[in-house]
Each structure stands twice: as structure tokens, then as C-alpha cells.
Amino acid sequence: MDRRSFLGSAGAATLAAAVPAAAQQRDTSHDAVPDARLRTLLDRFFYDRLAEDPEGATRLGLDTGARAALKSQLGDGSAAGIAADLARSKRELAELRKINPASLSASARLDYEVVAYQLQRSIAGGERFAYGASMGRYAPYVLSQLTGAYRNVPDFLDSQHRIKDAADADAYVARLAAFPAAIDADSERQRADAARGVFAPDYLLDTTLKQLAALRDQPPAATVMVASLAAKLQAAGLPDAHVARAERIVQQEVFPALDRQRSLITELRGHASHDAGVWRLPDGEAYYRAAAEAATTTSLSGDEIHRLGLAQVAEIGARIDTILKGQGMTKGSVGARLVALNERPDQLFANTDAGRDALLAALNAQIVAMGKRLPEQFATLPKAPVEVRRVPPSIQAGAPGGYYQNASLDGARPAIYYINLRDTFDRPKFGLATLTHHEAVPGHHLQVMSALEAENIPMLRRRGGFSGYTEGWALYAEQLADEMGMYEGDPLGQVGYLQSLLFRATRLVVDSGMHHKRWSREQATDYLIATTGIARGRSQGEIDRYTAWPGQACSYKIGHTVWVRLRDAVKARQGAAFDPRAFHAVLLDGPMPLTLLERLVTERMLS
């Protein structure tokens, strides 16, 4: 995609005319004083939080000027740091409530309601559940294959911390020096949680130990922290004096902290359960319901999620069955035929470095192809580019199959679409395009950067973490690509798209199965494979992800269902006058709970 792809001026003017004024700019017909007061308050909230989130400041490119000191710091993940976050949320909510929402314009009232929703949910989770994480994404285990500074900090230093001068290099080394304390803080919290009976199941701890070993059991110079520093110094034309200091920190401070953590995990592994679900934890049934509500921003019970998943699995499976029969694949279940398709040599890249390079090149070509079509559906496109990178091998054993990181706001770092290539068999060709449409365009990249670059909404809201909205959009984007004709003449590509939908519907079944109905890891894995035909290695990694992040996997299909329902309602109401660019302009209002999205679309386009 073109780095400055807002569209040419003439084309932009033409498309802007198709977008209702209400979607192009926030209303200014209301008393501006309360609105300004709210905007000032929310901006203060944002920068106060940023001061406690050095990694977030770096990701956004806001660790400069008066905030340059943040570039040398890591966030406080200790018990005291978690308590401080909860206390801050309570103060913020009290301040927010001093403003009467009835005095605000419609757009400012939306800002108020979104932030109030976030704060109320965060406080409720933090007060009720005294273990793991429950103030955003729910993650019951401090240490797992997906959680912990041991896996996050090295990747962050490698992918996010930029070095252009000696001060940046000093800051990198300072962060590396802070890494051991972050590791120990996690260990202390995990030990305290373990005393309450809260630690990961045996199979997650096995993967955690593998990842700890991948980081620890090598010379300091070979670690990603030191190797990345050396490469960045060379690229910046700086002397390598910092490298020796970094090696000493890793050898004398980081490795001992990792050894202490590995000893703790080994100890816990000796007492670990094999049960997959959070039902076994203190107040576990309530934890799952709260986790699912936090992820989906809807109130559905475990039984309701399970039934919805089963119904959608049946409907999507029937659609795939029809296409496969048209391709001469008639024998066996849908899942069995998808397995057979996955095994065909013509659908596989070689599981070699050359094969991985070819796969990444194919993904980049898909981004370019979709980028050329985006103006058909969107009047405003992100300025920031997106590129594809492989998940770092040091964390690929426990990392998701694909994920997205936003670009920095200063334009210095592009957005990144990561794909896990531990085994190319897990990524057959017929499913790659739909993954690109999900993670890059018109999925996460378009949605996330449209919000981040929208100066008309407060910064606090541009980064809103509503999984039902964002993951639902990304799955809707997969459907949009199909509707745009991206699979014309490519029935297997359409099978890949439908397999992706089926996969997300199956998540509803297995997530609620493990955490509500007490399914085992093996039962959930076998169901996922039998239903979707996704390779066992990838399927196992997915089930393990849902174990560590209960409820989050439900956000995709539930959010998708809401997005499609709203779009189709607007389309039916407007008939021939329907313009998808006008509907999609809702992205410029930033992420929000699905309940507020429904109200916004109803008021703007259905009333």
C-alpha cells in the first residue's frame, strides 16, 4: 500500500461527497464548553496513563521531547503497579462523573460513554478477581506461553525500540537493565497467585518452559536482546560499545532472573492440573462469564455462546460442503476433506527458509492487490503502511498464528502483520489471502490506523481495546473481501475464507466447552480438528491460546455477527442509495462496545 494513501485530492473530494457530514466531522451545534472540558479531561487521562506505560509510548512514537525519559523505562507489572492502575481507574471514573453527559454534544457523549464503560468494567474486574489480569483482556495466569515479561520484553526491544543515535542506544540498554526486575515481579505475582491455587495447566507450563529455555540456553551475544542491539547500532552507524555492556547485563542479571523464574515454573509444573478450564479457579465460573463479556462487550452465558457456535458451525459447514463437492471432493466429512486439501502438495510452501520467504512474498502481494481495491469501499485510508514479518522464532512455539501491531504515529515505524511460520504446513495456500484480509487490509490495519489517525476523537479513545469491535471488524473484513470478488475464479480461496469463518464459529464451541462445560484439552482439540480440518499443530496451539486467554476467542464471531447485521440493515433500509463508504466511515468514530456501535449506526443510518 502507498505510504500516503489517503487518495489523490480529486478522488478524495469525490468520495468525501458520498460520506454524510455527520460521518466526516463531529457535530459542533451543541454548547462547546462541556465538550471542551471533557476533551481536556480525557486528554489528561491519556497522558497520565502514558506516563505509566513506557512501552505504549514507544509503540506510538510518543517517547520523545518531554516524554523522552520513557524510552529508558519498562512498565510496572508488580502487584503494586497493578494496584496503582486500579486506584487510578477509580479516580478517573470519579472525575468523569462530575461531567453531566446530558450537557454534551452527541459526539462528545459517545466519548464519555465509551470511556465510562471501559472504566466501570476495569474496576469491576480488578475488584472482584485478585489474580492474573482482569482489568482489560482477562488472563488468569501471570506466567504462561502467552503472558509474562520473559516473552514480551525481548520481542518489544527487537521490534519496537528504535535506535538512531547514542541516546537511543543508552535507552535500550537501560530497558535491558530493567528487564530482570520485570521478570522477578512476574515471578512474585505468580507465586502469590499459586498460593491461591491459580497457575497454568501442565501443558501450558511445558510450553512456557520451552520458551524460557529458548531465551536462556544460549550465549548472551546470541540472545535476541543483544543481537538486535548490535544490528541496530550497525544500521545506525554507531559504535558497538553498548554491546559489551548489554552482554554483561544479560549474563549477570537477566539470566539469573530467568533461572529463578524457570525454577518456579518447574516447581509449579510438579503440582499442575491438566484441566483446561478456568472453572477450577477461585470464583472460576464468574471469571469466565466476566472474561467473555469483557471480550465481546455482550452479555451471553456460556450455554448461549455454545449454542450459537454449534448453529453457526452447521450453517458454514454446509456452505463449504457445497463448494467442495463442486471441486469433486465428495467423500468424508467437511473437516476430513479440508484436512485432505491441507495435505495436497500444491497447497503447501516448503518448510524451509526459502519456502517461508516465498510465503511472505505471497502475503505482500495480497496486501498490494487489496490495497488497489480499497477506494471502492472506503473514503479515508490510513497513511501508515503495513508490512508482513515472521513471528520471531524465539516465541513462535506459544505465539498466535497471526497478529497485528500498529504503526507509530510519527511515521517512523510501519504497522506490522506477524505470521507464525514455525511450520508452513499450518499455513496452506488456500487460506492465506483471508488471513491477510484479517490482519492487514481491509482488517486490523485499516480499522486500527483509521482510528489512530483520526484527530477528531481523543487519543484515549483511538486506542480503545474492544475485542468484539476490532476482531469482529477483522472477520467482517474477510467477508467483505469475498463480496468484493477477491476469490472470483478461485473456489479454493473461497473455501479458505469460509474455513476461517468456520474456525471462528468453532471457537465459540471449544472456548465455552473448556471453560464452561469442562471439556478437556484433548476433547477441544479433537473437535477443532474434526470440524475445521486445521492441521493438528496449529489447532493445538489455538486450544492452548484459549486456555490462557478465556473468552477472547469468542469476540471474533460474535463481533462479526453484529457488524454484518448492522451493515445489512442499513443496506436494506437505503436500497439503491446505499454507499459502503458511508457505512464504513463509522470507523472514524473509533472502537467502542458493540452495544454503542449498534446505537450509533441506528441513530445515524437507520432512524
Side-chain angles (χ1 to χ4, degrees), residues 86-164:
L86 178 58
R88 184 188 61 227
S89 293
K90 291 180 178 180
R91 290 194 304 271
E92 289 177 348
L93 184 59
E95 289 189 79
L96 186 65
R97 284 175 169 164
K98 292 177 182 178
I99 295 177
N100 179 6
S103 70
L104 300 169
S105 66
S107 54
R109 188 162 58 251
L110 178 65
D111 295 335
Y112 180 102
E113 291 175 332
V114 170
V115 175
Y117 180 98
Q118 284 180 308
L119 288 170
Q120 289 164 355
R121 299 293 173 176
S122 179
I123 292 167
E127 288 184 331
R128 177 158 190 178
F129 305 107
Y131 56 84
S134 56
M135 292 180 64
R137 172 186 284 167
Y138 276 56
Y141 313 116
V142 177
L143 292 171
S144 73
Q145 87 285 14
L146 289 175
T147 53
Y150 84 93
R151 73 176 302 283
N152 297 331
V153 171
D155 180 46
F156 167 78
L157 290 173
D158 179 38
S159 65
Q160 301 291 319
H161 188 111
R162 287 167 283 162
I163 294 180
K164 62 181 183 299

Side-chain angles (χ1 to χ4, degrees), residues 434-447:
T434 201
L435 181 64
T436 299
H437 299 148
H438 182 104
E439 299 294 347
V441 285
H444 283 317
H445 178 63
L446 192 145
Q447 178 265 308

Side-chain angles (χ1 to χ4, degrees), residues 493-512:
Q494 190 170 52
V495 167
Y497 150 64
L498 290 173
Q499 184 189 39
S500 178
L501 282 187
L502 179 64
F503 170 42
R504 274 37 178 260
T506 304
R507 282 177 165 177
L508 300 177
V509 179
V510 297
D511 193 84
S512 59

Side-chain angles (χ1 to χ4, degrees), residues 4 104 111 203 274 302 368 415 471 491 508 562 597:
R4 299 294 173 188
L104 300 169
D111 295 335
Y203 55 92
H274 192 66
V368 171
E471 297 297 354
L508 300 177
V562 172
L597 173 66

Side-chain angles (χ1 to χ4, degrees), residues 9-273:
S9 57
T14 301
L15 290 180
V19 181
Q24 296 178 50
Q25 61 183 21
R26 316 205 102 191
D27 64 271
T28 57
S29 59
H30 206 271
D31 184 354
V33 174
D35 284 14
R37 182 183 171 203
L38 175 66
R39 181 65 177 256
T40 298
L41 184 66
L42 297 186
D43 285 346
R44 177 162 62 80
F45 287 176
F46 173 77
Y47 288 108
D48 284 351
R49 293 182 189 184
L50 198 68
E52 304 299 325
D53 182 17
E55 292 97 323
T58 294
R59 289 188 179 97
L60 289 171
L62 297 177
D63 55 354
T64 60
R67 291 180 292 274
L70 293 174
K71 190 175 291 189
S72 301
Q73 303 170 18
L74 296 175
D76 184 359
S78 68
I82 302 300
D85 287 343
L86 178 58
R88 184 188 61 227
S89 293
K90 291 180 178 180
R91 290 194 304 271
E92 289 177 348
L93 184 59
E95 289 189 79
L96 186 65
R97 284 175 169 164
K98 292 177 182 178
I99 295 177
N100 179 6
S103 70
L104 300 169
S105 66
S107 54
R109 188 162 58 251
L110 178 65
D111 295 335
Y112 180 102
E113 291 175 332
V114 170
V115 175
Y117 180 98
Q118 284 180 308
L119 288 170
Q120 289 164 355
R121 299 293 173 176
S122 179
I123 292 167
E127 288 184 331
R128 177 158 190 178
F129 305 107
Y131 56 84
S134 56
M135 292 180 64
R137 172 186 284 167
Y138 276 56
Y141 313 116
V142 177
L143 292 171
S144 73
Q145 87 285 14
L146 289 175
T147 53
Y150 84 93
R151 73 176 302 283
N152 297 331
V153 171
D155 180 46
F156 167 78
L157 290 173
D158 179 38
S159 65
Q160 301 291 319
H161 188 111
R162 287 167 283 162
I163 294 180
K164 62 181 183 299
D165 54 32
D168 291 341
D170 289 340
Y172 185 107
V173 174
R175 276 178 158 159
L176 184 59
F179 185 27
I183 297 169
D184 285 337
D186 284 347
S187 296
E188 290 171 12
R189 285 181 58 216
Q190 181 60 86
R191 194 178 296 279
D193 282 358
R196 305 183 185 101
V198 180
F199 52 99
D202 53 10
Y203 55 92
L204 295 193
L205 294 180
D206 286 340
T207 305
T208 304
L209 287 169
K210 289 178 183 177
Q211 293 186 164
L212 281 165
L215 180 62
R216 168 64 180 87
D217 295 344
Q218 57 186 324
T223 63
V224 65
M225 299 89 73
V226 178
S228 180
L229 172 62
K232 291 177 181 184
L233 290 171
Q234 183 177 25
L238 295 170
D240 62 1
H242 290 84
V243 174
R245 184 180 170 203
E247 288 187 45
R248 287 195 299 272
I249 292 170
V250 170
Q251 181 67 58
Q252 298 173 12
E253 301 175 46
V254 174
F255 280 177
L258 290 172
D259 288 340
R260 291 189 291 272
Q261 190 161 96
R262 182 154 60 172
S263 177
L264 170 62
I265 297 300
T266 301
E267 176 188 346
L268 295 178
R269 175 62 179 82
H271 303 284
S273 168

Side-chain angles (χ1 to χ4, degrees), residues 362-402:
L363 298 183
N364 279 305
Q366 290 161 3
I367 290 174
V368 171
M370 173 54 80
K372 294 176 181 178
R373 300 283 305 277
L374 290 178
E376 300 169 16
Q377 297 285 329
F378 302 94
T380 303
L381 302 181
K383 292 180 287 185
V386 59
E387 62 183 48
V388 187
R389 295 183 189 175
R390 179 184 177 183
V391 170
S394 60
I395 62 171
Q396 67 184 10

